[in-house]
């Protein structure tokens, strides 16, 4: 990782900047209201931001239910990609999940997103199945991936 970044919990004051990252990253981005609801009302939700020189350049989130972590979002601004920041963000999220008592972690990724799949495999994730027509923008299938957080 070539640049200095810090990780911290996401707050409601971060939402506007997180939405900018979200819109730059996804064809079916979450709304401001979705993030607000996650932070204020979803007791299972945990979100972190990645900060570089005071600027939010990425974020990730998950739901923690009993001993399972379900990744909801992972995004890095396009101009900061290719520097292993997504990997650092995922490692931070995985460490947070472990500290919170999660034993496994799961996520969905577009079947066409081979870059993300490669990263997840590097982190120990394995294919678990397919969710047909999962993504609402183009009805692309999602690959479900799993990893054990404790060996």
């Amino acid at each position: 990782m070539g640049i200095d970044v810090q990780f911290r919990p996401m707050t409601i004051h971060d939402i506007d900047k997180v939405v900018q990252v979200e819109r730059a990253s996804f064809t079916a981005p979450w709304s401001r209201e979705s993030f607000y609801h996650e932070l204020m009302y979803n007791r299972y939700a945990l979100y972190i931001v990645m900060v570089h020189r005071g600027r939010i350049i990425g974020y990730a989130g998950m739901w923690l239910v009993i001993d399972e972590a379900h990744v909801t979002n992972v995004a890095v601004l396009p101009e900061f990609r290719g520097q292993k920041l997504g990997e650092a963000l995922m490692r931070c999220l995985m460490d947070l999940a472990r500290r919170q008592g999660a034993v496994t972690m799961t996520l969905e990724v577009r079947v066409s997103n081979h870059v993300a799949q490669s990263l997840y495999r590097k982190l120990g994730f394995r294919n678990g199945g397919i969710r047909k027509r999962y993504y609402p923008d183009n009805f692309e299938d999602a690959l479900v991936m799993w990893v054990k957080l404790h060996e």
Side-chain angles (χ1 to χ4, degrees), residues 7-125:
F7 300 95
R8 64 170 172 76
M10 185 189 300
T11 72
I12 60 169
H13 304 292
D14 297 324
I15 292 175
D16 289 337
K17 297 298 182 188
V18 167
V19 168
Q20 290 176 5
V21 176
E22 177 82 356
R23 288 182 180 155
S25 300
F26 300 113
T27 56
W30 280 20
S31 67
R32 184 183 198 293
E33 294 74 24
S34 295
F35 285 105
Y36 183 83
H37 184 271
E38 286 290 286
L39 294 176
M40 296 301 294
Y41 303 112
N42 185 346
R43 66 186 180 113
Y44 302 107
L46 280 174
Y47 285 81
I48 57 174
V49 292
M50 180 170 53
V51 181
H52 171 64
R53 296 184 179 164
R55 178 183 179 198
I56 293 174
I57 63 168
Y59 77 95
M62 64 184 161
W63 297 333
L64 282 165
V65 181
I66 308 174
D67 63 354
E68 181 181 309
H70 185 125
V71 178
T72 56
N73 313 65
V74 179
V76 175
L77 281 173
E79 62 264 35
F80 289 94
R81 293 180 190 158
Q83 302 179 63
K84 301 197 181 297
L85 296 172
E87 179 178 342
L89 192 52
M90 277 300 298
R91 288 187 186 279
C92 183
L93 196 67
M94 291 169 78
D95 288 343
L96 178 59
R98 280 186 201 96
R99 290 194 308 271
Q100 296 292 321
V103 176
T104 59
M105 179 176 266
T106 186
L107 55 79
E108 293 90 8
V109 59
R110 288 179 185 268
V111 294
S112 64
N113 191 344
H114 301 290
V115 172
Q117 290 173 37
S118 177
L119 167 61
Y120 301 142
R121 285 189 185 96
K122 178 180 180 181
L123 295 171
F125 283 82

